[in-house]
Amino acid sequence: MFIVIDGPDGSGKTTLAKSLTQRLCQKGFQALYTSEPTYDSEAGKAARQILRSGEVTDIYAFADLFVADRKEHLANLIKPSLLAGRWVVCDRYKYSALAYQQLQGVNPQYLIRKNQECLVPDFAFILVPQNTNILMGRIAQRGERTELFEKKEHLAATIPYYRSLKEYFPKENIWYLNADDSTEDNLGQVLGVVGVG
Ligand code: TYD
């Protein structure tokens, strides 16, 4: 089973994805947590470097880096794990591209087409916040340097794109979660939807 958890920075997706992986393991499933952009591929490293520097010279080339990283991630880790009978919980996937790269001005049809070959998850859970101040508070608490997209206006601006995902991918199994709810509440919902609650 291939499950994606996505949402804006600070929405709690990493905590939820890690808790889900842990709970699945406790229930006796073989589950692994992974995330994008990866730290493994050259494209993933290049994307992270640009995120840190905050300087994007070509938004289409930047979008292509995430797709190249995703394809390597699928080939090297996600697909082999699924074939071995494991559950894969992926923190961010192509849905981040529709939110962040579209925000930068990339045409959504370009993003959809470029990501067409990428495996469709069995379930995608999107954390959407009602209150962006909560997001900024979470990011500030981390005490890390603020990256390219981690400014409040960016965070709020990605939300409408996340809300439109069902229009971009009408055939996919996309579920929305309220990012203001607790991780435990959202975990309960996810387990219920995937049928292991
Ligand atoms: P993030 O989840 O913040 O990674 P970490 O917690 O390890 O810093 O992801 C890094 C950034 O990557 C995030 O701001 C969104 C961006 N991103 C894109 O712009 N496009 C994509 O396709 C993906 C997967 C991520």
Side-chain angles (χ1 to χ4, degrees), residues 1-196:
M1 203 63 84
F2 178 29
I3 301 176
V4 168
I5 311 280
D6 211 319
D9 287 294
S11 61
K13 64 185 171 40
T14 302
T15 311
L16 179 62
K18 288 186 173 168
S19 313
L20 173 62
T21 310
Q22 202 176 22
R23 192 66 66 87
L24 287 169
C25 291
Q26 282 164 358
K27 286 182 180 284
F29 298 101
Q30 284 199 332
L32 80 91
Y33 166 89
T34 186
S35 64
E36 291 187 3
T38 73
Y39 294 90
D40 304 319
S41 76
E42 288 310 313
K45 285 178 201 157
R48 285 194 177 274
Q49 166 60 34
I50 292 171
L51 285 165
R52 271 196 304 276
S53 76
E55 281 166 38
V56 184
T57 46
D58 179 341
I59 55 172
Y60 280 84
F62 187 45
D64 291 349
L65 282 179
F66 290 102
V67 179
D69 177 50
R70 186 162 301 122
K71 287 187 173 166
E72 286 202 42
H73 194 199
L74 281 161
N76 297 338
L77 182 76
I78 298 175
K79 287 185 178 175
S81 303
L82 294 171
L83 279 173
R86 298 199 178 90
W87 290 55
V88 176
V89 179
C90 188
D91 181 345
R92 290 198 187 280
Y93 195 57
K94 63 179 179 178
Y95 312 104
S96 287
L98 264 294
Y100 291 86
Q101 273 62 66
Q102 204 180 169
L103 178 64
Q104 291 186 294
V106 178
N107 184 312
Q109 293 311 322
Y110 178 88
L111 297 165
I112 292 167
R113 184 164 52 78
K114 279 279 172 173
N115 281 283
Q116 216 153 25
E117 285 169 31
C118 297
L119 185 66
V120 174
D122 295 292
F123 297 92
F125 293 96
I126 312 297
L127 281 156
V128 181
Q130 310 299 317
N131 182 345
T132 49
N133 288 327
I134 296 180
L135 291 194
M136 281 317 283
R138 286 188 191 149
I139 289 171
Q141 270 174 12
R142 284 189 212 153
E144 294 161 7
R145 228 156 24 104
T146 309
E147 284 192 344
L148 180 61
F149 294 121
E150 293 185 347
K151 300 207 173 72
K152 190 174 175 184
E153 52 287 9
H154 275 138
L155 288 175
T158 59
I159 295 169
Y161 298 120
Y162 274 115
R163 289 217 174 101
S164 301
L165 284 173
K166 281 192 180 197
E167 290 158 41
Y168 299 131
F169 302 108
K171 295 193 182 133
E172 300 196 10
N173 197 9
I174 296 172
W175 295 75
Y176 286 100
L177 301 171
N178 184 350
D180 304 340
D181 288 348
S182 69
T183 299
E184 200 48 45
D185 282 354
N186 280 322
L187 180 58
Q189 292 216 34
V190 170
L191 292 169
V193 170
V194 301
V196 295

